Every structure is written in structure tokens, then in C-alpha cells.
Amino acid sequence: MSPPSRQRWPWPEAEVVSGGIVRPLARSEAEDACQSCTPAPRADEALAASTLHLPQPIAVHRGGMAVGITPRAGALRDLAASHVGQGDRATARREHGDALDHYRTAAAIMQRLAAADPDNVAFLRDLSVCWNRIAAVLSASGDHTEATNHYRRSLGLLQRLVVMAPHHPDLPRDLAWSQAQLAERI
């Protein structure tokens, strides 16, 4: 199977600025940012395209096929997962700037989805994962203050999620991991 051709993807339409606030991008900024985005999968290729971008097939997001998620939200979640995968590869190569760009793009996408559906535990957990990855790269880069801020944001979100979904199998582990990361920094 040949790789999909590069297409313009209408994301990102916003960026995260200090404090996690989302600032809308001007049309030209959004077009410039899209040059590095992964091509949008066709509806009939969503799962196959996702497996190309993620290191483990088990981590493939089901996108629009999941119950209660629109196809557009699923495609955005897949795009965020793709950016996380690209960030992970950049981190492995010790390209911290590139990794941060991908993780921040993924976080902006997940923040947008979480704002649109604030009760969606999967969206909020994905946002927490993005913040943890941003914090890890910032810490590795020596920016411990900003890393601590991101770990705190993630921890606060996870504490809220544990109350929202007490039977979710991954949340207690995520919460304990975030607490340990934050404890190492204070």
C-alpha cells in the first residue's frame, strides 16, 4: 500500500498559548501550520491510515466508528494521535523542539474536542496524555518550571476524571503516574 498523497488538512485552526488558553489562528497561520500535518485519511481508510502513524496497533483510535463520536471528531482524534506518534519519534531522536511542536498540536486538537464535549472521558484523558508528554519533553530540555505546570494541569484533570468515571480501568494508573511525576519535581 502506497502512502497517501499529501492533502491540505484544515487543522490546526487554533494554538495553545500560555496557561492553556486557545488562540484562533489567522487563515494564513493555519495554512502554514497545516504544511506539517499528516494527510487526512479517507473515510474508508481511517483505521488503515491510523495504523501507519502509531507505533503499536493496540493504540489505534477508532475515530468516527466509536459510539457517540462524530466522524469529524474521530478524524481529529486520529490526527491528534498521529501528532503524538510523530512527537514520540522526535523524542526518541532527541529532537525536543520538533517533539514539542507535535505534542502541542495534539494538545490543541484534544483541547478543542474536550471543549466541544466536556463530558467525554476519552477526549479528556487524551488531553491529559498530551500534557504529560509536553511536560516530559520540557523537563528533558531543562525547563522544569513549565514542566511542573503541565504535570499539575494533567494531575488536576485526572483527579476530575477519576470522579467522573470511577470504573475506568486506566485512570487510577494514570493518576498514580502523574502524582509520581509531580512528586519528583517538588
Side-chain angles (χ1 to χ4, degrees), residues 82-186:
S82 174
H83 276 286
V84 168
Q86 291 172 11
D88 290 348
R89 287 186 290 282
T91 299
R93 293 187 307 266
R94 298 190 189 325
E95 296 171 355
H96 298 278
D98 191 35
L100 274 176
D101 290 343
H102 284 294
Y103 292 147
R104 286 180 173 148
T105 299
I109 293 168
M110 292 316 304
Q111 194 167 15
R112 177 181 175 197
L113 289 172
D117 188 359
D119 294 326
N120 188 312
V121 173
F123 291 168
L124 294 168
R125 181 177 181 267
D126 287 353
L127 178 58
S128 157
V129 167
C130 291
W131 285 343
N132 281 331
R133 280 187 162 84
I134 290 168
V137 172
L138 288 169
S139 183
S141 300
D143 190 350
H144 301 292
T145 303
E146 194 61 29
T148 301
N149 291 338
H150 276 83
Y151 280 128
R152 281 191 175 128
R153 289 172 70 194
S154 177
L155 180 61
L157 180 56
L158 286 167
Q159 288 171 333
R160 188 175 125 215
L161 285 174
V162 167
V163 172
M164 283 175 59
H167 301 293
H168 192 286
D170 297 326
L171 294 177
R173 180 198 64 221
D174 292 352
L175 181 62
W177 186 87
S178 287
Q179 288 170 331
Q181 294 302 310
L182 191 56
E184 285 180 18
R185 276 138 190 93
I186 50 177

Side-chain angles (χ1 to χ4, degrees), residues 45-68:
E45 292 183 336
L47 292 178
S50 295
T51 59
L52 295 174
H53 303 296
L54 297 172
Q56 300 171 349
I58 196 80
V60 173
H61 296 285
R62 299 293 183 234
M65 295 178 66
V67 175

